[in-house]
Amino acid sequence: MEVLLRASVPSLNITTATTNNKTHLTKPRFSNFQLSEGRIDQWGRLQCVYHGWCFDGSGQCKIIPQAPQDGPPVHSNKKACVASYPTVVHHDILWFWPNSDPQYKDILTKEKPPFIPELDDPSFTKLMGNREIPYGYEVLIENLMDPAHVPYAHHGIMQMRQPKEKVDREGGKPLNMTVEKLDKDGFIGKQEGGRAKFMPPSMFYVYFDQGTETKNSSTKQRRLALIFICVPVSPGNSRLIWVFPRNFGLWIDKVVPRWYFHIGQNLILDSDLYLLHLEERKIKEVGNWQKACYVPTKSDAFVVAFRRWLNKYAGGQVDWRGKFTRDLPPTPPREQLLDRYWSHVVNCSSCSVAYKCLNVLEVVLQVVSVVSIGIVAATKQSLMSTAARTAIVSVAVLCFVASRFLAQFVNKYFRYHDYDHAFK
């Protein structure tokens, strides 16, 4: 990320993903080639994939392959260097200050990323995920701060406690949400069953205490937290990093693979993604959030607080520093908006491995099916009993059916899964 909110509050900004994904923090001063398209070579240097120039972590060019080794050290010329940003790994996320000016060289000694106790506590499980989102930072944060939409936008996916008296099938109800403090450092809020914090510009943190449990004569508080980090990428595009730490049921994450959890989490994101993409364009069309949105209930308290913070302390919008116009990109086809592969799978170590393995398994099942039929066809009836022939044909049919099921499973959960609200 190379943009800052136009805010008077000093704040770190975050990189594109968690530390188990490829992230590069240098930017060439001498060309338009993006080093983010590069690779890490065998000596740990960042290599440009166009000419092979290599750079160390401080941005110094270490080698220009086209320059003779016994010639002048042209690689040490400052024109061959690239910008280097102050960085720190915190809570397994790579954070950086998006300004390479020398005055910010030691900024990390003064400014720290937000600290979340649950992410620093080994008694909590904390599986992360990330997703590219086709709507902007402001809409993304508002969506995550708004529990009132859950029974409707995520109907049939997320289970919520039903009210005693239901006014509709989904179980919507009044939500008593209050903001206790709001200043340049964000806000602190209270909602049913939990508390929340907005730590600007990117982090929204909610935690719920779910009673106590006794084990080995000791009592501990059961806690579940929802942590969302929202990164502005460009107008109409953002990036979400999420982690849901809890200190109970730790065995589940040791048994169930991470990619399986991501299937459900991506479905939740998909079920209101198209709605929010269109909402952002409607707000843009009206020209003013206050005019476009009517927020009369207490369930809107956090969203209103965020907009107050944004207007008062951050200039009302993301400051793109001239890198982008404020125009939103055209709306692509629905299948592209809801694409999971390029928005998540390709950047997730767990899901990308699962995707490759399931595709290999699909091919293996098809091969077994074809080979089995081939064996039956090529073998004379006199050389194979009816029982053996039936068994081989059954294996062929089962493998073919399994391969078709697997193909649909991979496409639905790793490529594209639509959500039709009218039939839910």
Side-chain angles (χ1 to χ4, degrees), residues 252-297:
I252 297 175
D253 293 351
K254 297 178 181 179
V255 176
V256 181
R258 183 158 58 106
W259 62 266
Y260 187 81
F261 289 109
H262 286 182
I263 285 177
Q265 291 156 0
N266 276 306
L267 179 58
I268 293 171
L269 291 171
D270 284 336
S271 56
D272 62 6
L273 186 150
Y274 188 69
L275 306 176
L276 295 167
H277 177 85
L278 297 181
E279 174 192 312
E280 181 176 36
R281 278 145 181 78
K282 190 64 177 180
I283 295 173
K284 181 76 172 178
E285 180 182 321
V286 174
N288 183 285
W289 183 86
Q290 282 76 13
K291 291 181 180 180
C293 301
Y294 178 51
V295 283
T297 68

Side-chain angles (χ1 to χ4, degrees), residues 313-332:
Y313 299 106
Q317 57 192 353
V318 176
D319 183 359
W320 298 110
R321 303 291 174 89
K323 185 172 181 179
F324 303 103
T325 68
R326 300 202 178 278
D327 296 332
L328 296 176
T331 296

Side-chain angles (χ1 to χ4, degrees), residues 80-281:
C81 299
V82 295
S84 180
Y85 303 105
T87 62
V88 62
V89 175
H90 177 70
H91 292 328
D92 292 331
I93 299 173
L94 184 61
W95 302 71
F96 77 99
W97 188 274
N99 195 316
S100 60
D101 290 348
Q103 62 178 313
Y104 297 112
K105 180 180 179 180
D106 299 319
I107 190 66
L108 297 181
T109 61
K110 305 173 184 177
E111 300 294 336
K112 304 292 184 182
F115 175 75
I116 303 296
E118 291 84 357
L119 295 183
D120 203 45
D121 189 335
S123 68
F124 281 77
T125 181
K126 36 187 175 287
L127 296 181
M128 287 187 177
N130 66 87
R131 175 86 180 253
E132 303 295 315
I133 306 293
Y135 49 83
Y137 154 87
E138 300 98 320
V139 175
L140 175 60
I141 286 189
E142 286 183 5
N143 171 250
L144 299 171
M145 291 179 174
D146 174 26
H149 78 280
V150 172
Y152 304 97
H154 307 305
H155 179 66
I157 301 174
M158 298 180 67
Q159 300 298 322
M160 297 190 68
R161 184 181 301 172
Q162 295 294 313
K164 293 181 179 179
E165 296 183 7
K166 296 178 64 173
V167 298
D168 55 25
R169 177 193 63 168
E170 291 79 10
K173 61 181 180 179
L175 299 175
N176 188 18
M177 300 171 63
T178 58
V179 174
E180 300 174 348
K181 177 185 176 183
L182 189 150
D183 56 24
K184 65 182 179 63
D185 296 317
F187 67 76
I188 298 173
K190 184 178 181 181
Q191 67 182 77
E192 182 178 318
R195 301 187 66 83
K197 293 181 181 179
F198 168 56
M199 292 170 276
S202 302
M203 184 176 288
F204 181 58
Y205 160 60
V206 186
Y207 65 88
F208 304 90
D209 290 327
Q210 302 184 327
T212 59
E213 67 176 20
T214 302
K215 186 177 182 180
N216 299 328
S217 301
S218 62
T219 301
K220 73 172 183 179
Q221 181 72 50
R222 291 161 54 102
R223 172 170 289 189
L224 168 68
L226 309 177
I227 300 167
F228 304 102
I229 303 174
C230 308
V231 188
V233 174
S234 63
N237 292 283
S238 55
R239 180 173 299 113
L240 173 64
I241 299 174
W242 69 81
V243 55
F244 305 143
R246 66 181 188 280
N247 62 350
F248 57 92
L250 306 186
W251 63 270
I252 297 175
D253 293 351
K254 297 178 181 179
V255 176
V256 181
R258 183 158 58 106
W259 62 266
Y260 187 81
F261 289 109
H262 286 182
I263 285 177
Q265 291 156 0
N266 276 306
L267 179 58
I268 293 171
L269 291 171
D270 284 336
S271 56
D272 62 6
L273 186 150
Y274 188 69
L275 306 176
L276 295 167
H277 177 85
L278 297 181
E279 174 192 312
E280 181 176 36
R281 278 145 181 78

Side-chain angles (χ1 to χ4, degrees), residues 297-344:
T297 68
K298 290 184 177 181
S299 66
D300 302 311
F302 292 174
V303 172
V304 172
F306 166 70
R307 284 290 174 173
R308 286 177 55 196
W309 176 88
L310 189 67
N311 290 331
K312 187 173 182 178
Y313 299 106
Q317 57 192 353
V318 176
D319 183 359
W320 298 110
R321 303 291 174 89
K323 185 172 181 179
F324 303 103
T325 68
R326 300 202 178 278
D327 296 332
L328 296 176
T331 296
R334 191 180 181 98
E335 291 78 6
Q336 185 176 336
L337 274 177
L338 296 172
D339 167 77
R340 287 192 188 179
Y341 182 78
W342 293 108
S343 64
H344 171 75

